[in-house]
Every structure is written in structure tokens, then in C-alpha cells.
Amino acid sequence: MELTTPLTYVKGVGPARAAMLQAKGLVTAEDLLGYVPFRYEDRSNMKTIAQLAPGEMATVIAEVLVAKLSGFKRKNLGLFEVRFSDASRAILVGKWFHGGYLANVFGERMRVALYGKVEFDSYAGELTMLHPEFEILSGDDDDGESSLHVGRVVPIYEGVSKITARMLRVLTHRILESLPPEDDYLPQYVLDRLKLPDRWTAIRHTHFPPPDSDLRLLNAFRSPAQFRLIFEEFFWLECGVALKRAKARLLPGIAFEINDRVREQVRAMLPFKPTEAQKRVIKEIAEDMKAPRPMNRLLQGDVGSGKTIVAAEAAVIAIENGYQVAVLAPTEILAAQHAFYFKQILSKLGYVTLLLTGSFTPREKAQLKKLVSEGLAQVAIGTHALLEKDVEFKRLGLAIVDEQHRFGVLQRLGLVQKGVHPDVLVMTATPIPRTLAMTLYGDLDVSVIDQLPPGRKPIVTKHTTDDRIEQVYSFLKKQIDEGRQAYVVYPVIEESETQAMKAAEKMYEHLSREVFPTLSVGLMHGRLGAGEKEAAMQRFKEGQIQILVSTTVIEVGVDVPNASVMLIEQAERFGLAQLHQLRGRVGRGAAQSYCILVTEKMNDAARHRIRTLVESTDGFHIAEMDLKLRGPGEFFGTKQSGLPSLRVANILRDSEVLEIARREAVDFIARPPSEENLLRAVAYIRDHWQRRYGLVTVG
Ligand code: ADP
Ligand code: MG
């Protein structure tokens, strides 16, 4: 057996089990070794039932006395009860709601390991466990291996389809028994410095901890063996990132010239005095653009911090050097708004800006594309339509991607390939927690705008329930009487924009006819044509519309400084990042702004989100909370394809290991002990890790 041996060669894995494993991405022996326990039980010196204390989490091994569906309480709950006993002769009752299926699982006299919270049912005078995890110990299909399951610290795996934790334990053990020890590819000096066990020991001890193991460390994923595997995974990831970055720096790029004339043009374009943060950031960008290698820079700044003008400054530098600029935006509204903004400030300099989105007719598109390919338009702004194959630039020098988290890495590349190593500036208002930034955007340099334009007052955020909506409406009316404008937003789950549109339309009718008959109310949703959207936005900008009823299509980027109220209905249905983005639509002018979150019914998670938002306007804090609540995969939504698939490590749980691994990796790549050492590592990453990490260009 080798690491690459398919699992079908392992005794006990037939076609059915192989298919179940494969569905989880487990195909080879190595895959299964990477499938580590999520918990451990100390079954070496266990308590008897008589020794259990109510309130504690405990493991016991006991025998089934009776197992039956209980007639107790309402029948349809299907309460299944199993009475257990052991040598202490005390009774423990396991209870499972909707447990009818267990009738075929438990039989009299079976030996079972149970894990759960011990409770005392004072009515019946019995110790109970509600929905304990369990493992049937008798009825072996793995003769001779029963010592794996008791009398030691036992690994508990997440079951794979119908394959139980117990079976996984057996399979893993069989693989470990028949595999020769694996080579260790981590540099020796790193092993020594961090006192890490070798790889083979680490794998064996992670699955089958030695007798003297510390259970608490194991369950915190910090045993030396687990630490080593987590570290290793991060180490190779960060080495890959460092290599990719080093390689990108060797590419020939455009060395933009920044002379007095360019500086003069930039000054002529600026509609206001940049903040200190904006000045610092544009300086970083300018330095990058001057250098004869492609810029790869991430521009982070909370909503409203003024990223657009920084992008425009970079654009002026590129254009003055005879190059074109592409601006990619995730939604039509945002693209249209950018086009409007850029046109306004760049036409002063005589540059031509055009907008290209999916909703133009083929003829219009053809004309626009011609302007771009002939170099008659200096700036092309658009949605995904900009990525189409037949969009060709005469001389693309700068690619700007706004709200980067909405795009996958490949789309970024798609835009870049329309030029010859153009400079790239990606902008995001989703502050990316440091740990994620290190893995996802490790190959980018980062600039942060950490300051809002002057005169901004912090947005006041309030939460209320829908039975008090009248008060909210009269507050809205008062703000509008003072000359302000307002947004009213309805929830939409991405798949059902039609539904949200209907809700918004209905609300629009209601608000415009009954609640605010004297005000001018507008409607915005994703099903409007691009022209209609642009027109509605324009009328709102010019103040002709006082209240804009909308779905979340206005979530990103929309900028109307006079709007001071963001009213979000059914706020419990929005995610944290989304709420923060929506809130960021107000607070852009000098007037005090308000965000009012109206909820109908909330669960705990929603309550947590609403509280976080009411208490904080700090985008970084909110992003960290969001990441914790949802996990890294969900954090960016499904479109974010750049997340590495980690096996043992977990970005949230193991962030401090990631920091250590990154430091070591950067150090190793910069100063490898020998050339040979480095080549060995590069080859290892290429063979083993590249596919998983999506490090497309390593090597
Ligand atoms: P975001 O970073 O969210 O994209 P924008 O670029 O849309 O923010 O800027 C938000 C608003 O602040 C815009 O109306 C913009 O014109 C204005 N703004 C940006 N920078 C400054 C500044 N230095 N002084 C005054 N207003 C500014
Ligand atoms: Mg923006």
C-alpha cells in the first residue's frame, strides 16, 4: 500500500462504501489519513453509571436492557428510549426524539459506548442522556480489532454517509498498519526549532493518540501531533503564496512615468482635498505603478471611506501615460454609478469614459467595443460584460476591480489578460480579517484607507420591531421635511429577486399611496432594465425622488450624500456584512444619518447580528464577527472561489498557528538553507498541494 492507493484496495471498502467516501472527496489512502478525528474519548479509565454526576459530559460503556419507542408524551414525537446498565447495576436512559429508526439499531444485551450530557430526571428518578452520541461495540465486523474501540483514547470521526465513526477508525487503522513510514518534507531546521514531531508520528498520533495523551489538548486540537499537521498545512500554503508572489514580481510590467504634467492633471481632476489616508494610499499606488513590474494591490477601506477617487487618480496616471483603464463592477447599478462619477471628473481632462453592461443591445455593444479596441475610449467601465472574449483593448494599462469579494480569482485574471501584464488594483469594502487576507490575498500588497472624509458623523443605528413601524414612518417624514432623503430596503435571498421585487413593489404602492401620499417615492429592483435603473438612481441623486424603495440591488457602492435614513425591513433576514454594506449607503454627507433595523421575528443568530450592528460601526469588527458566525466558506458567499480547501487546519480555530506558519514560510522562501532545499519544496508543493490550494502559477 502507498499513499496514492485507492481506498477500494483497503479491506472492508467495497464499491458501496467507496462511493460514499468518494462523495466526501476521500479517494486515496492519503485522503483518509487527512480525515482527522473531530473529537476524542478517553475510554481507558471510564466511570461507571453509578459514578456519573448530573451536568457533566461523560462517556460510559453499558449494555442495553430494553429498547423501545415510548408512548410517553405526544406520540408523533417518536420518543425512543433505551435503558442501559453496567457492572454498577445503576440505570441510564438514553432518549432520542424522532428516534423510530433506532428500533433496528439497538438490540438487547448489546454493548454500547455513549457520549453525552448527563441529566437527572427527578420525575422518574433516573439518570438520562438526551440524544447521546453512541457507538455499538458488540456485533463486530472487525474481529481482532476491538481493542481499537475501548480501553484507550479513542478517535471520534464524523460519520461519512452510512459509514460509522467506528468503521472509519478500523479503516484508518488498517491503512496505518500497511503503509511504510512517510518521508518528511518540512525543513529539518523548522522541525527542530518548533520541536515538531515528524510527519509519520504526527499522523499516527492524531488518529490513535498514545496512552499518556492529554485529552484536553487533543480536544482543543493542540496535541503536538495535531499542531504539527495543522502547521504543515499552513506552511505549504504560505510557501505557495510566497512563491507566487515572488514570481509575480519577476514579470515585466509597465513602468508608468509620473512627472509634473501627470501631477498637474491629477490635481486638476480632484473635486476635493484628499484625506491623509487617501494621500498615503495613492502614494503607495503611485510607487507601485512607477516600478517596472505589474502592480497587484488590494485597496481596503470601509464603506464611504473614499476609494473611488483613489482609483480615479490611478486612472489618470495610466491614461496620461497613453494607456487605457478597465473598471469591473459587480452590479449594473454600481457600474452605472462609477461610469457617471468617472465621466464627471475625467471629462474635465478630456478623457472618454464609457459604460458596457449586459443590458445594451448587440448593436450598441458592438459600437462600444469598437471604441475600446480602437483606443478612442480611455476608460471602460462595466459588469461581467466587460470580460466577454470579444472585448479587446488597444492598450490596457490598469485594471480596477471594485468590490473584489464578489468576483472569483479567475474573473480577475480574465480582465488582466486583456492587456500585457497591466497593473491591477482590486478594491473592497469588506474588510478582510487578517487571517483570511493572508491566505486568500497573500499574493497582493495591501493598502488601507483607515479614515473617513472630514465632517462625517457616525451613523446612529436603532433596532425596533414591526409593530412600531408607524413611529418609524413619522421619523422618516420628519427627516424628509428637513430636506433629507431615505432608502427603504426589503430583503431578498439571492435566488428569488422576483419575490423580493414583488415585496418591494407592494411596499412601494403602500408607501407612495397611503403612508407618504405627498412625497415622491421611487422604486428600484434588479428586474428593471439598465436604463431604468440608471434613471431611477439619477432622479434619486438629483432629489426628485425622496424615498427610494429598493431590494438589495443598492447594497454596494451607491453614493447619494443627501440620503440620511436607511430603513431596513425584516432586517433579521440579512447577513451581517450585507447589513453593514446597506448601512454604508447613508452617512455620506454632513447631516446626521440613521440606520433603522426593523425586525419581525428573530432567532438567536439574528439577534446576535442585530446587536453587533447596533453596537458597532467598525467594519473590521463586524467582519470578524461575521467570519466567526458563518465560517470562512460562507463569509464571501459561494462566488468566492479562492478559498483553499484545508483538511486538518481551520482558519478560524487555528489563526495563531497560521501566523507562525506564515512567518516560517516567508523566512524559508527568502532564505532557504540551500538551493536544493528550495527546489525540493517547490516540487513537493507542485505535486501535492497545488490543486488543493489553487496556486495556479507556482513553480
Ligand atoms: P467607497 O470607499 O465606499 O467607495 P466613495 O468613493 O463612494 O466611497 O466615497 C464616498 C463619498 O465620499 C463620495 O461622495 C465621495 O465623493 C466622498 N469623498 C471621498 N473622499 C473625500 C474627501 N477626501 N473629502 C470629501 N469627500 C470625499
Ligand atoms: Mg465604492
Side-chain angles (χ1 to χ4, degrees):
M1 168 141 355
E2 291 173 40
L3 284 173
T4 53
T5 304
L7 289 169
T8 40
Y9 288 82
V10 179
K11 183 180 146 220
V13 182
R17 277 180 177 156
M20 290 178 217
L21 291 165
Q22 183 165 16
K24 260 259 179 179
L26 305 171
V27 179
T28 64
E30 182 175 28
D31 291 339
L32 202 59
L33 293 183
Y35 192 74
V36 299
F38 74 99
R39 191 167 69 72
Y40 299 81
E41 280 180 15
D42 187 350
R43 295 185 188 166
S44 51
N45 38 25
M46 274 180 312
K47 291 183 178 174
T48 60
I49 295 177
Q51 290 167 325
L52 295 179
E56 69 175 340
M57 296 295 293
T59 307
V60 276
I61 292 181
E63 205 168 272
V64 177
L65 296 180
V66 226
K68 62 170 184 8
L69 207 53
S70 159
F72 187 60
K73 289 188 191 162
R74 278 183 297 142
K75 251 214 169 96
N76 59 4
L77 287 181
L79 181 68
F80 194 82
E81 287 194 356
V82 184
R83 300 179 75 77
F84 296 95
S85 189
D86 64 4
S88 71
R89 306 203 145 252
I91 300 283
L92 173 70
V93 185
K95 298 185 178 193
W96 288 265
F97 287 105
H98 304 291
Y101 67 98
L102 292 170
N104 301 322
V105 174
F106 289 110
E108 269 174 42
R109 309 203 62 83
M110 270 183 179
R111 240 157 64 86
V112 180
L114 294 156
Y115 171 76
K117 185 165 182 198
V118 181
E119 277 161 294
F120 184 66
D121 178 346
S122 51
Y123 180 75
E126 291 167 338
L127 288 175
T128 63
M129 278 188 184
L130 188 61
H131 289 201
E133 286 179 37
F134 64 89
E135 190 176 311
I136 309 237
L137 296 174
S138 47
D140 277 359
D141 56 0
D142 49 68
D143 31 8
E145 283 158 334
S146 53
S147 66
L148 292 179
H149 314 298
V150 285
R152 65 190 299 159
V153 175
V154 175
I156 310 292
Y157 300 88
E158 201 98 52
V160 174
S161 178
K162 284 189 183 141
I163 307 175
T164 59
R166 177 186 178 80
M167 192 64 214
L168 289 166
R169 194 179 302 135
V170 170
L171 295 178
T172 305
H173 189 255
R174 285 179 188 164
I175 292 172
L176 287 172
E177 290 288 271
S178 42
L179 263 184
E182 218 191 307
D183 280 351
D184 201 331
Y185 281 84
L186 279 184
Q188 187 60 43
Y189 79 90
V190 173
L191 292 178
D192 295 344
R193 180 150 72 203
L194 297 176
K195 301 199 173 54
L196 302 177
D198 68 87
R199 178 170 168 76
W200 187 235
T201 305
I203 291 177
R204 280 188 302 120
H205 285 183
T206 294
H207 288 285
F208 295 99
D212 55 349
S213 298
D214 182 332
L215 196 70
R216 267 208 320 255
L217 278 185
L218 278 169
N219 281 325
F221 292 86
R222 287 296 176 273
S223 73
Q226 292 162 309
F227 184 94
R228 141 91 208 207
L229 295 183
I230 293 166
F231 172 87
E232 174 171 17
E233 200 160 34
F234 283 141
F235 181 82
W236 293 125
L237 170 65
E238 293 299 332
C239 278
V241 168
L243 284 167
K244 189 168 157 187
R245 188 183 164 103
K247 195 179 167 199
R249 281 160 180 265
L250 295 178
L251 288 176
I254 307 161
F256 292 99
E257 193 188 330
I258 303 182
N259 52 28
D260 285 345
R261 185 189 147 73
V262 175
R263 273 188 278 272
E264 189 44 51
Q265 291 287 73
V266 169
R267 229 166 299 160
M269 175 273 292
L270 283 177
F272 40 66
K273 208 167 142 276
T275 61
E276 286 308 311
Q278 283 169 324
K279 277 194 223 159
R280 171 171 42 78
V281 161
I282 189 65
K283 209 167 144 226
E284 289 165 3
I285 292 172
E287 287 304 318
D288 244 9
M289 291 182 75
K290 274 200 286 192
R293 53 177 173 77
M295 168 168 80
N296 266 305
R297 192 164 279 277
L298 176 69
L299 175 56
Q300 278 199 60
D302 211 341
V303 280
S305 61
K307 295 183 289 295
T308 320
I309 198 70
V310 171
E313 289 189 55
V316 172
I317 296 175
I319 298 167
E320 285 298 313
N321 276 268
Y323 285 89
Q324 289 170 292
V325 179
V327 182
L328 183 63
T331 67
E332 290 201 347
I333 294 181
L334 189 52
Q337 182 176 288
H338 274 324
F340 178 79
Y341 192 93
F342 275 81
K343 260 179 209 160
Q344 214 176 25
I345 56 177
L346 294 183
S347 62
K348 278 189 277 185
L349 306 181
Y351 306 152
V352 177
T353 301
L354 62 76
L355 174 66
L356 186 64
T357 66
S359 49
F360 287 101
T361 65
R363 242 188 79 219
E364 289 168 326
K365 272 197 203 163
Q367 270 167 357
L368 292 167
K369 286 173 186 171
K370 197 153 165 253
L371 289 175
V372 178
S373 66
E374 289 178 354
L376 296 171
Q378 280 80 28
V379 184
I381 297 178
T383 52
H384 292 88
L386 208 54
L387 298 171
E388 282 168 22
K389 245 218 191 77
D390 58 345
V391 178
E392 284 167 19
F393 285 80
K394 181 152 189 245
R395 215 169 169 228
L396 179 63
L398 174 66
I400 299 171
V401 183
D402 196 12
E403 304 299 344
Q404 149 78 9
H405 64 289
R406 298 285 184 112
F407 294 101
V409 175
L410 289 178
Q411 286 165 319
R412 187 169 101 206
L413 277 179
L415 186 60
V416 167
Q417 274 154 8
K418 294 192 180 292
V420 182
H421 307 310
D423 279 6
V424 179
L425 182 66
V426 298
M427 308 197 285
T428 182
T430 303
I432 301 154
R434 200 181 131 69
T435 45
L436 264 191
M438 282 195 310
T439 46
L440 263 179
Y441 300 124
D443 58 328
L444 301 180
D445 296 302
V446 181
S447 290
V448 181
I449 307 183
D450 50 6
Q451 178 185 24
L452 294 179
R456 297 274 176 84
K457 297 192 183 75
I459 301 165
V460 173
T461 305
K462 295 277 183 206
H463 168 227
T464 183
T465 45
D466 64 337
D467 50 327
R468 302 174 58 183
I469 196 73
E470 295 305 326
Q471 277 155 277
V472 175
Y473 287 154
S474 58
F475 174 76
L476 217 81
K477 179 78 169 43
K478 230 170 72 209
Q479 283 283 305
I480 288 164
D481 288 344
E482 285 173 24
R484 304 278 91 75
Q485 290 166 278
Y487 299 95
V488 179
V489 176
Y490 282 85
V492 46
I493 316 143
E494 214 141 314
E495 311 84 81
S496 68
E497 167 75 20
T498 316
Q499 227 176 314
M501 173 195 82
K502 285 199 187 124
E505 267 174 352
K506 222 168 104 198
M507 240 327 141
Y508 164 72
E509 297 290 324
H510 174 65
L511 290 178
S512 59
R513 295 220 181 115
E514 288 149 45
V515 187
F516 304 115
T518 60
L519 302 182
S520 131
V521 183
L523 175 63
M524 170 74 89
H525 57 70
R527 289 279 183 272
L528 294 177
E532 292 169 297
K533 278 186 206 149
E534 207 173 343
M537 258 347 277
Q538 200 49 37
R539 291 184 58 222
F540 189 58
K541 250 192 161 101
E542 287 164 4
Q544 296 167 35
I545 291 175
Q546 293 165 298
I547 298 177
L548 188 64
V549 178
S550 177
T551 62
T552 52
V553 289
I554 56 148
E555 179 188 342
V556 290
V558 169
D559 181 41
V560 179
N562 190 49
S564 69
V565 183
M566 168 58 69
L567 168 59
I568 305 175
E569 303 245 10
Q570 292 179 38
E572 71 272 16
R573 295 174 60 183
F574 290 98
L576 204 39
Q578 212 175 9
L579 288 170
H580 181 61
Q581 284 280 341
L582 284 169
R583 177 168 61 179
R585 298 311 110 215
V586 296
R588 299 180 155 243
Q592 176 62 57
S593 285
Y594 304 88
C595 174
I596 304 168
L597 307 167
V598 182
T599 58
E600 287 181 11
K601 39 182 181 265
M602 290 200 283
N603 58 20
D604 280 352
R607 210 163 285 130
H608 203 114
R609 290 198 294 273
I610 302 288
R611 185 161 4 102
T612 303
L613 215 74
V614 168
E615 285 170 1
S616 173
T617 52
D618 176 356
F620 271 94
H621 173 70
I622 289 168
E624 294 275 1
M625 292 300 286
D626 199 27
L627 182 60
K628 283 204 182 105
L629 289 174
R630 290 195 297 161
E634 289 280 303
F635 182 74
F636 284 104
T638 45
K639 278 186 199 138
Q640 182 59 43
S641 47
L643 267 182
S645 46
L646 299 164
R647 280 186 178 155
V648 185
N650 172 318
I651 291 183
L652 283 183
R653 185 192 64 204
D654 304 324
S655 59
E656 91 276 8
V657 188
L658 174 58
E659 300 265 359
I660 299 169
R662 177 169 176 91
R663 224 170 35 232
E664 293 293 341
V666 167
D667 185 56
F668 172 68
I669 296 298
R671 281 177 299 275
S674 71
E675 172 91 11
E676 189 210 317
N677 249 281
L678 183 63
L679 291 177
R680 196 168 110 109
V682 170
Y684 184 65
I685 294 171
R686 197 189 288 119
D687 293 349
H688 294 254
W689 302 79
Q690 188 156 339
R691 183 173 44 90
R692 255 168 65 199
Y693 291 163
L695 298 167
V696 188
T697 55
V698 167

